[in-house]
């Protein structure tokens, strides 16, 4: 999803993926399923059937890992800041952030065509031999909107907001 | 919206490699469905052998051990190989399309969860050729009977573990997809009933699979590692295996039925041209059934000598299940009431489901009564009951679902005449097959025996004839599917006039990645599931 800062002095585009599961929802769901699985596991262990608890713990760890990976995917975000002289790209999932700086004048917006018909175009900001993908978590239509917006903002042909 | 299509499938391989390496939800759904159809025929062949042996009293075709092997493998193959994978296949195909997601949340795990299954069943079926034969202790694998199995024992246990791992991975994937990848605007109470039923089923699967894994591991340890979990001589208790097994086993029954409820809740509104009556009550009914399924397990064990208080507790909780189930049945009937009904094959299967599943439900209420269960226990009455639930319930729902969504999957309409032949032959023969079993059971014929007193001959012959006709009529099902895949009248995006839901906004057949852009929010908000 795209959010554009209306402040005209500096353009900021915030890109985050759709997350249909909130953090509270995540905890509620995980806590309820852990309770539903471990309660019989503990009860059976108290009656001498400890292998059930071992499998239950293993399974909860796997479920937790899978849900965490999905949640971490959902924490991914990109912030593209276009000032009068620079294009700054910050992206990552909070722990591992990547920061790239490009000269606004020399920066180019490049769209790589997909290798297969069903796959999406990918957008890159490129300058002086370096390039950085943007809008990775967007859908085709959203990426097209981003492409249009960035084409207006960066490079020698960037024509919005600055003199 | 994060696009899973973006992160995977850098190429789209063709040929056999496509099917081995695929991470696409539609490909994996197709694999699951084909596998389950194959297993349906393998399990069906075992059932034919059983019915051939029971055609006449006395021993005709096989020795009693082989008969028990057939009964055991028939149960295991039909439950873990036919019914469950068919529902997972339908979930794979439909859930991403129904929630507006491009694919499943964990596509690589999806591939593993399918490809474990063929190996599990090769392992299980290979036991037929091992010294001592295949497992013959019944699908419930009761100790100490199961511990008498020969070389096949550890292979069977390993196969069960593999099936469990596959089920758990499939369930985790379904949960992650439904919770994380719903399109913007699709709140939980706007989800189609099929998705809701699967979310609750996946929850059940995750909760009970460790219990099965633990139970069979303890049997393995008793046999090979000198433990005495179920060995009375070493201080264990064989009866406790039944408690542990049925703590898994009864929710397992609902795992095989809840997705069927979801399917029927999709089909009936479509062919009634009305929104589902009582959407919210349907969701709460499914959740209630799932909860109750955890506290009814000992109704399978009324005759083992539990205290009266335990008998009463499990009798009452079991009878309570009739309440939410009744809510569902009445809601389906109310949906049809004054609707503009049409009777295409999916609707015929759905109506047959409602009627015949209710028969299975009623015999379930009879079995829930402790004093009556003392007469019915381990007789053909029980066999009739659970086959009405699982064949005319789950299997009919799966067949209805295949006819309902086949035009969407293939882009072609199926042959309606052939499909109706399939339906009528199935519905008549299945009643010839299972209804007389009630009378056999009431008259005292025990289940799991290869021979019987001569007075049961007539009814057994009728049952066997019904079984053979039902088995052969399933070839029409295969013919319908093959003909539809190969060609036929072009199907539109919205195949059925009264169809509701996001999946019908995609072309038929849908693109390789379902929604590479989120569906328009107004499509979801206008979704008429909540009109009650």
């Amino acid at each position: 999803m795209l959010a554009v800062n209306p402040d005209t002095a500096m353009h900021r585009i915030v890109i985050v993926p759709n997350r249909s599961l909130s953090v509270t929802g995540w905890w509620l769901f995980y806590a309820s399923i852990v309770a539903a699985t471990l309660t019989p596991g503990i009860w059976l262990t108290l009656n001498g059937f400890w292998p059930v608890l071992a499998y239950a713990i293993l399974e909860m760890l796997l479920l937790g890992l899978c849900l965490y990976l999905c949640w971490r995917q959902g924490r991914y975000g990109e912030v593209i800041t276009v000032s009068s002289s620079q294009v700054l790209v910050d992206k990552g999932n909070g722990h591992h952030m990547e920061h790239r700086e490009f000269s606004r004048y020399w920066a180019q917006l490049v769209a790589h065509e997909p290798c297969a018909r069903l796959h999406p175009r990918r957008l890159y900001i490129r300058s002086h031999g370096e390039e950085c993908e943007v809008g990775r978590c967007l859908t085709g239509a959203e990426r097209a909107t981003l492409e249009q917006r960035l084409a207006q903002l960066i490079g020698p042909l960037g024509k919005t907001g600055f003199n | 919206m994060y696009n899973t299509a973006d992160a995977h499938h850098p190429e789209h391989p063709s040929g056999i490699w496509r099917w081995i390496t695929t991470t696409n939800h539609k490909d994996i759904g197709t694999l699951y469905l084909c596998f389950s159809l194959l297993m349906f025929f393998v399990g069906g062949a075992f059932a034919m052998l059983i019915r051939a042996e029971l055609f006449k009293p006395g021993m005709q075709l096989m020795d009693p051990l082989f008969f028990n092997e057939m009964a055991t493998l028939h149960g295991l193959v039909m439950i873990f190989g036919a019914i469950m994978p068919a529902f997972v296949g339908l979930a794979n195909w439909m859930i991403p399309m129904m929630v507006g997601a491009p694919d499943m949340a964990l596509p690589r795990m999806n591939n593993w969860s399918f490809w474990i299954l063929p190996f599990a069943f090769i392992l299980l079926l290979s036991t037929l050729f091992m010294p001592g034969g295949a497992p013959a202790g019944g699908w419930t694998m009761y100790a100490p009977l199961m511990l008498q199995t020969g070389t096949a024992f550890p292979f069977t246990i390993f196969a069960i573990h593999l099936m469990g791992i596959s089920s758990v991975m499939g369930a985790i994937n379904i949960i992650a997809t439904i919770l994380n990848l719903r399109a913007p605007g699709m709140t939980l109470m706007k989800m189609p009933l099929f998705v809701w039923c699967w979310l609750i089923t996946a929850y059940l699967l995750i909760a009970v699979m460790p219990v099965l894994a633990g139970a069979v591991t303890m049997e393995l340890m008793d046999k090979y590692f000198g433990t005495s979990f179920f060995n009375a001589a070493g201080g264990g208790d064989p009866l406790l295996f039944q408690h542990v097994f049925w703590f898994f086993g009864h929710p397992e029954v609902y795992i095989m039925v809840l997705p069927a409820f979801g399917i029927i809740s999709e089909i009936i509104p479509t062919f009634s041209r009305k929104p589902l009556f009582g959407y919210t009550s349907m969701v709460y009914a499914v959740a209630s059934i799932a909860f109750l399924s955890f506290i009814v397990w000992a109704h399978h064990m009324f005759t083992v000598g539990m205290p009266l208080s335990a008998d009463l507790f499990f009798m009452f909780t079991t009878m309570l299940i009739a309440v939410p189930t009744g809510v569902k049945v009445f809601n389906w009937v109310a949906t049809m009431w004054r609707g503009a009904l049409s009777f295409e094959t999916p609707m015929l299967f759905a109506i047959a489901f409602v009627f015949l599943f209710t028969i299975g439900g009623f015999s379930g209420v009879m079995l829930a009564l402790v004093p009556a269960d003392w007469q019915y226990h381990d007789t053909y009455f029980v066999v009739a009951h659970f086959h009405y639930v699982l064949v005319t319930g789950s299997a009919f729902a799966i067949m209805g679902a295949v006819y309902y969504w086949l035009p969407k999957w293939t882009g072609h309409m199926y042959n309606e005449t052939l499909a109706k032949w399939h339906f009528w032959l199935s519905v008549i023969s299945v009643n010839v097959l299972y209804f007389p079993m009630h009378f056999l059971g009431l008259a005292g014929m025990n289940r799991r025996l290869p021979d019987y007193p001569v007075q049961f001959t007539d009814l057994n012959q009728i049952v066997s004839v019904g079984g053979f006709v039902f088995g052969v009529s399933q070839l029409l099902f295969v013919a319908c599917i093959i003909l539809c895949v190969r060609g036929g009248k072009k199907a539109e995006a919205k195949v059925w006039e009264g169809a509701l839901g996001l999946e019908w906004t995609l072309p038929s057949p849908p693109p390789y990645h379902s929604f590479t852009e989120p569906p328009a929010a107004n499509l979801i908000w206008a979704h008429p599931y909540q009109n009650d």
Side-chain angles (χ1 to χ4, degrees):
Chain A
M1 282 171 207
L2 287 169
V4 181
N5 191 330
D7 180 4
T8 50
M10 183 188 285
H11 288 261
R12 178 165 289 159
I13 300 173
V14 181
I15 302 166
V16 289
N18 172 48
R19 287 170 287 205
S20 56
L21 182 65
S22 65
V23 178
T24 318
W26 193 98
W27 279 112
L28 278 175
F29 175 79
Y30 192 60
S32 77
I33 203 160
V34 165
T37 310
L38 293 192
T39 305
I42 291 168
W43 178 63
L44 289 168
T45 302
L46 293 174
N47 284 283
F49 302 123
W50 56 267
V52 175
L53 187 63
Y55 282 111
I57 290 172
L58 209 62
E59 193 190 55
M60 286 303 100
L61 290 176
L62 177 66
L63 174 69
L65 176 71
C66 290
L67 288 175
Y68 170 72
L69 289 176
C70 290
W71 178 69
R72 203 179 64 172
Q73 256 178 3
R75 286 186 66 199
Y76 176 82
E78 296 171 9
V79 180
I80 305 169
T81 311
V82 184
S83 66
S84 55
S85 58
Q86 278 186 313
V87 178
L88 310 176
V89 179
D90 292 285
K91 62 179 185 176
N93 57 15
H95 290 300
H96 304 288
M97 295 301 294
E98 186 185 340
H99 178 79
R100 306 290 282 270
E101 291 182 15
F102 300 94
S103 155
R104 182 183 156 255
Y105 183 80
W106 291 107
Q108 287 180 307
L109 185 66
V110 183
H112 286 197
E113 292 303 323
C115 56
R117 187 172 57 86
L118 292 163
H119 297 130
R121 282 154 66 86
R122 289 173 185 275
L123 284 183
Y124 291 86
I125 295 174
R126 186 165 73 185
S127 171
H128 294 81
E130 279 190 34
E131 66 178 14
C132 167
E133 186 180 1
V134 290
R136 188 170 74 83
C137 59
L138 297 179
T139 62
E142 288 172 335
R143 200 178 278 124
T145 312
L146 176 69
E147 186 178 355
Q148 232 174 7
R149 185 73 183 137
L150 286 177
Q152 290 175 329
L153 288 177
I154 64 175
L157 296 178
K159 49 187 180 282
T160 309
F162 309 110
N163 295 317
Chain B
M1 182 177 181
Y2 182 76
N3 192 342
T4 37
D6 218 31
H8 306 292
H9 322 299
E11 288 171 14
H12 182 182
S14 56
I16 186 77
W17 202 240
R18 165 186 171 183
W19 298 102
I20 293 172
T21 61
T22 184
T23 52
N24 180 276
H25 74 104
K26 298 184 185 77
D27 285 353
I28 294 172
T30 306
L31 285 170
Y32 266 113
L33 289 168
C34 292
F35 178 79
S36 104
L37 189 63
L38 177 68
M39 285 297 118
F40 183 59
F41 279 94
V42 172
F46 295 155
M48 295 297 100
L49 285 172
I50 292 169
R51 285 317 320 169
E53 174 56 46
L54 292 173
F55 194 77
K56 281 204 303 189
M59 302 308 299
Q60 335 291 330
L61 305 169
M62 56 189 83
D63 61 64
L65 178 66
F66 188 72
F67 182 91
N68 286 343
E69 290 171 13
M70 289 294 97
T72 304
L73 288 181
H74 167 71
L76 287 172
V77 167
M78 285 302 199
I79 289 169
F80 293 105
I83 303 283
M84 286 175 68
F87 283 132
V88 181
L90 291 169
N92 259 289
W93 249 105
M94 299 316 299
I95 285 177
M97 298 209 291
M98 286 176 152
V99 301
D103 207 313
M104 297 294 276
L106 305 154
R108 289 187 183 93
M109 197 165 88
N110 206 14
N111 176 289
W112 298 342
S113 68
F114 170 74
W115 279 109
I116 285 175
L117 268 187
F119 292 100
F121 278 88
I122 289 170
L123 205 59
L124 180 67
L125 296 175
S126 69
T127 58
L128 277 166
F129 307 102
M130 290 179 184
W139 84 274
T140 51
M141 299 174 283
Y142 278 2
L145 183 61
M146 187 67 180
L147 300 179
Q148 296 171 12
T149 311
T151 315
F153 182 72
F155 292 91
T156 308
I157 301 298
F158 188 47
I160 299 283
H161 274 300
L162 290 179
M163 293 168 206
I165 291 168
S166 166
S167 299
V168 166
M169 292 205 298
I172 288 175
N173 217 336
I174 286 166
I175 283 175
T177 305
I178 296 172
L179 293 182
N180 286 296
L181 295 186
R182 275 171 291 126
M186 180 169 279
T187 57
L188 285 176
M189 291 312 275
K190 285 196 172 94
M191 291 194 310
L193 241 292
F194 179 69
V195 180
W196 253 118
C197 288
W198 243 117
L199 180 63
I200 293 169
T201 303
Y203 196 98
L204 277 183
L205 258 172
I206 286 174
V208 299
M209 273 300 166
V211 181
L212 174 69
V216 295
T217 303
M218 286 184 276
E219 278 194 326
L220 193 78
M221 292 166 87
D222 272 7
K223 188 164 169 90
Y224 293 110
F225 301 108
T227 58
S228 298
F229 289 109
F230 310 120
N231 179 6
D237 186 349
L239 194 60
L240 290 177
F241 177 83
Q242 296 187 29
H243 279 290
V244 180
F245 180 84
W246 285 114
F247 189 84
F248 148 80
H250 200 77
E252 170 70 13
V253 172
Y254 289 96
I255 286 164
M256 290 187 285
V257 168
L258 295 186
F261 289 170
I263 290 165
I264 300 305
S265 303
E266 297 296 324
I267 294 176
I268 286 182
T270 295
F271 295 99
S272 303
R273 291 161 182 81
K274 273 175 70 187
L276 184 69
F277 184 89
Y279 171 91
T280 313
S281 64
M282 289 294 241
V283 173
Y284 288 122
V286 175
S288 310
I289 292 170
F291 170 72
L292 288 171
S293 74
F294 283 110
I295 52 171
V296 296
W297 77 90
H299 68 212
H300 297 269
M301 306 162 51
F302 281 146
T303 57
V304 300
M306 288 186 297
L308 182 63
S309 54
D311 279 351
L312 287 174
F313 173 80
F314 288 109
M315 178 172 83
F316 291 135
T317 52
T318 304
M319 294 179 85
L320 259 183
I321 290 193
V323 178
T325 310
V327 168
K328 300 194 73 67
V329 172
F330 285 124
N331 280 354
W332 290 322
V333 174
T335 305
M336 286 188 269
W337 176 252
R338 295 197 166 174
L341 270 68
S342 58
F343 298 97
E344 287 87 347
T345 310
M347 183 61 161
L348 291 176
F349 272 106
I351 293 170
F353 171 95
V354 174
F355 191 79
L356 298 173
F357 178 81
T358 306
I359 292 179
F362 278 133
S363 57
V365 175
M366 292 167 74
L367 285 161
L369 296 162
V370 176
D373 186 75
W374 277 67
Q375 183 195 346
Y376 305 146
H377 189 83
D378 257 350
T379 69
Y380 263 77
F381 191 86
V382 180
V383 180
H385 158 70
F386 68 73
H387 279 92
Y388 264 96
V389 172
L390 291 180
V391 179
T392 62
S394 306
F396 269 30
I398 292 164
M399 288 172 194
V402 169
Y403 284 119
Y404 184 56
W405 283 311
L406 198 57
K408 169 59 63 187
W409 300 338
T410 61
H412 304 128
M413 293 304 291
Y414 60 84
N415 184 325
E416 189 68 48
T417 313
L418 204 58
K420 281 192 169 143
W421 268 100
H422 170 229
F423 169 75
W424 285 111
L425 277 172
S426 295
V427 83
I428 293 167
S429 60
V430 89
N431 282 292
V432 176
L433 167 59
Y434 297 126
F435 208 79
M437 287 184 182
H438 291 111
F439 306 125
L440 282 170
L442 290 173
M445 180 171 161
N446 277 86
R447 62 189 289 207
R448 288 180 174 152
L449 291 181
D451 191 9
Y452 52 84
V454 73
Q455 68 265 30
F456 300 137
T457 309
D458 292 349
L459 283 176
N460 266 296
Q461 290 185 340
I462 293 170
V463 167
S464 290
V465 168
F468 297 138
V469 177
F470 182 70
V472 172
S473 58
Q474 299 321 304
L475 296 175
L476 290 177
F477 184 43
V478 180
C480 277
I481 294 170
I482 292 173
L483 289 173
C484 186
V485 170
R486 291 174 63 129
K489 193 182 144 203
K490 283 272 169 217
E492 294 167 6
K494 192 176 172 185
V495 178
W496 311 107
E497 184 199 356
L500 312 166
L502 289 177
E503 72 271 29
W504 306 104
T505 62
L506 290 167
S508 303
Y512 198 60
H513 295 296
S514 300
F515 287 98
T516 47
E517 46 196 83
N522 63 339
L523 279 175
I524 299 164
W525 295 328
H527 200 274
Y529 276 105
Q530 273 193 306
N531 280 6
D532 58 319

